[in-house]
Amino acid sequence: MTYLAITAGIVIAFAFGFVLGDRRGVKQANIILDENNKLLLEAMHDAVKAPVDGEDARPVLH
């Protein structure tokens, strides 16, 4: 019976550690994705800017 209790405790500890590690990984991934999303939105905004007077207007394809 003691062997079963120790084994169950070890399995629960590993499961708990896995869940905590997974949450940490998701947080780090979200930080990276937010950073990349900001860069993407800035690049898209720069590409869509209207031409200033005197500049040649480029056609926009949809």
Side-chain angles (χ1 to χ4, degrees), residues 16-61:
F16 190 68
F18 177 76
V19 170
L20 289 179
D22 194 39
R23 285 187 66 198
R24 182 177 174 208
V26 169
K27 276 186 182 178
Q28 290 176 344
N30 283 338
I31 291 169
I32 293 169
L33 289 173
D34 286 341
E35 220 173 280
N36 289 339
N37 196 23
K38 286 178 188 175
L39 290 173
L40 177 63
L41 291 175
E42 287 175 8
M44 289 171 54
H45 179 70
D46 291 343
V48 177
K49 283 186 180 176
V52 180
D53 290 338
E55 290 183 8
D56 293 334
R58 296 182 301 184
V60 178
L61 299 176

